[in-house]
Amino acid sequence: MKPIFTLRLNTVLSIFILNFALLGVFNLEAATITATSISDLQNKINSAASGDIINLANGHYTNNVISIAKTNITIQATTPGGVFLDGTNAITISGNNNTFSGFQFVSGTTAGGKVVTVTGSYNTITQLNFNGYSASKMVQLEGSYNTVSYCNFQNKPTDVSTASKGGDGDMLQIIPNATKPGNNLIRYCSFQHMPGKGGDWGNECIRIGDGTYSLMISRTIVEYCYFEDTGMGDSEAVSVKSRQNILRYNTMNNNPDAMFAFRRGDYNVAYGNFFINSGGIRPKEANNIFCYNNYFEKSGVAGSMNAVTYIYYTANTTHVLDSVNFLHNTFVECGDIDFGGVGATNGVWANNLFVKSTGNIFTNPNNGTTFSGNIYQGTLGISIPSGMTSTDPKLALNSDGYYGLTASSPAIGAASAAYPAMLNLPSIDTLHLDIRGLARPVSRLLKDVGCEQFSAPGTATNRPLKLTDVGPSYLQTSTGVETHKENSNFTVQVNSQNKTLVVNYKLPQYIKINLSIYRLDGSLVKNTMINPSEKQSIGISDLQNGIYLIRLNAGNYSESCKFIIK
């Protein structure tokens, strides 16, 4: 498998080269500038030249208004994660080919408003952390060819005691354009731990359009994102309400009350996604939907969202689902797959693989779905006259932690050719690859049943993601010992197993050195005097997992860096 960091590097380089090539902006006299306040930052933005990098000094800033109307500049925290934008925020990016990076939003409220609004094009929003911040929208994309990458969204506050809904809106909103596709990209972001009442609560992770935009072409791609415990914010982790969007290579893990919803809008696809202990995919008011090469394990169990809910939307009797297609997916020990009873037409389920040891695989049949080339082990639960073969598919747990084919599987080379022509959208894979990103045969009849191609050569590029694969780099850590070396005069080693913090420093021989540890909200959690040696070990067993700031003070000397306990 290709390492995640290699994929990230190649992606970053590709975006960098593409943006510069498209806009033709190279400036050999670009400068790196430091701003020390928000007003200073705005002045430096206003006077910046193409290629300039503006670093905002680390610290907390309150009630911030920032307008970025320039082209090809970078606005970033001096140290990634070292700048906290607190209170109210109104950040607007109307220029093109800009980068906004490294900021944290962990304290404050932008009531009824948007934190970051992008109306320009070819901009990159990256390395942002939204945790516990209250706003209607954390990021809203209104322009074209913008990228949101390596950001974290979690713990969006909501008043569950007084409101009938979360009421405030989703975390990441894409607004389609009536005259041209947006072609925006959401990738390597984490979405986790959303409070609320669940169901139609109103705080989706990602919403692509809404009812107003359902006939517009968005062409948003959501890829390599990680979702965990978001279902109390809203049952639709990704709510698609526009046309020609692609959801691929994402992981839903331990997210039982949330799903991907093709809520409104036609010609959308989902492929290469992992749904593990989570909800699945729900087409609702949408036609010409293609879902393929997806893996579902324990999806829709224990009263959570169904693995797949194939629904006729009764609140709108004029809408009937048409041409909803599930092809080459694998379902392992999932909840009932609900076909919705009435309403659906021209749906096709082909070359899927089902394993279920107890209970029914399907429920609530309709007359508008046909089946071909599927393999199952278990009890169907509904009458399907053809297209379903009962046999042990001989799956085994693989090194990536999910159930794949073995050499003796009857699914190998057993696919049917009886399914509709695939959608051929820009940037899409139309069943040329399996869930691992490995090549399938060109001939439909030579493909394997299920989400993977057993004999495919090469190195896999897709697997179930972990939280450490996504989100801001400054939030990542590993078990055991990790060294944080952010300052020249001292380093911090965190041993999560022994619950100790080892501080190595080279300071003048002051008599008294004060060591303080703060939470990110600025509250002091530990304060001690240490000896003027070159190494100190501090017990941290009383500290909860999280990100902390450590500060050394000695006379007129003061220096800080972050560390993480996990």
Side-chain angles (χ1 to χ4, degrees), residues 344-421:
T345 58
N346 300 311
V348 175
W349 282 62
N351 304 322
N352 301 290
L353 195 158
F354 308 90
V355 174
K356 192 170 184 180
S357 56
T358 60
N360 295 326
I361 297 173
F362 302 109
T363 189
N364 208 10
N366 61 57
N367 296 323
T369 302
T370 59
F371 300 84
S372 64
N374 301 287
I375 291 176
Y376 74 99
Q377 182 182 29
T379 303
L380 287 179
I382 64 174
S383 176
I384 301 177
S386 63
M388 301 291 299
T389 299
S390 177
T391 186
D392 181 358
K394 299 187 185 304
L395 301 182
L397 195 66
N398 61 29
S399 60
D400 287 320
Y402 66 96
Y403 287 89
L405 302 179
T406 59
S408 59
S409 174
I412 295 174
S416 166
Y419 54 85

Side-chain angles (χ1 to χ4, degrees), residues 159-193:
D159 185 356
V160 298
S161 63
T162 60
S164 60
K165 286 183 177 287
D168 211 28
D170 49 281
M171 288 190 285
L172 203 166
Q173 172 78 58
I174 293 88
I175 302 295
N177 188 290
T179 60
K180 62 180 180 179
N183 293 293
N184 292 297
L185 178 63
I186 315 300
R187 59 192 344 252
Y188 290 111
C189 291
S190 50
F191 301 86
Q192 50 182 326
H193 309 312

Side-chain angles (χ1 to χ4, degrees), residues 16 20 24-31 47-53 71-73 97:
F16 181 86
F20 273 75
V25 281
F26 291 91
N27 185 354
L28 299 180
E29 299 180 357
S47 60
S50 175
D52 283 356
I53 299 172
T71 294
N72 187 38
I73 65 172
N97 200 49

Side-chain angles (χ1 to χ4, degrees), residues 414-453:
S416 166
Y419 54 85
M422 306 293 290
L423 293 178
N424 191 14
L425 304 177
S427 303
I428 201 173
D429 169 62
T430 56
L431 270 174
H432 293 109
L433 306 176
D434 71 354
I435 193 170
R436 300 167 299 168
L438 302 181
R440 287 188 183 269
V442 175
S443 171
R444 292 188 177 193
L445 297 175
L446 296 178
K447 298 182 194 300
D448 296 349
V449 175
C451 67
E452 72 172 22
Q453 190 74 23

Side-chain angles (χ1 to χ4, degrees), residues 94-108:
S94 59
N96 302 323
N97 200 49
N98 299 297
T99 297
F100 187 76
S101 175
F103 301 100
Q104 296 204 58
F105 302 84
V106 299
S107 177

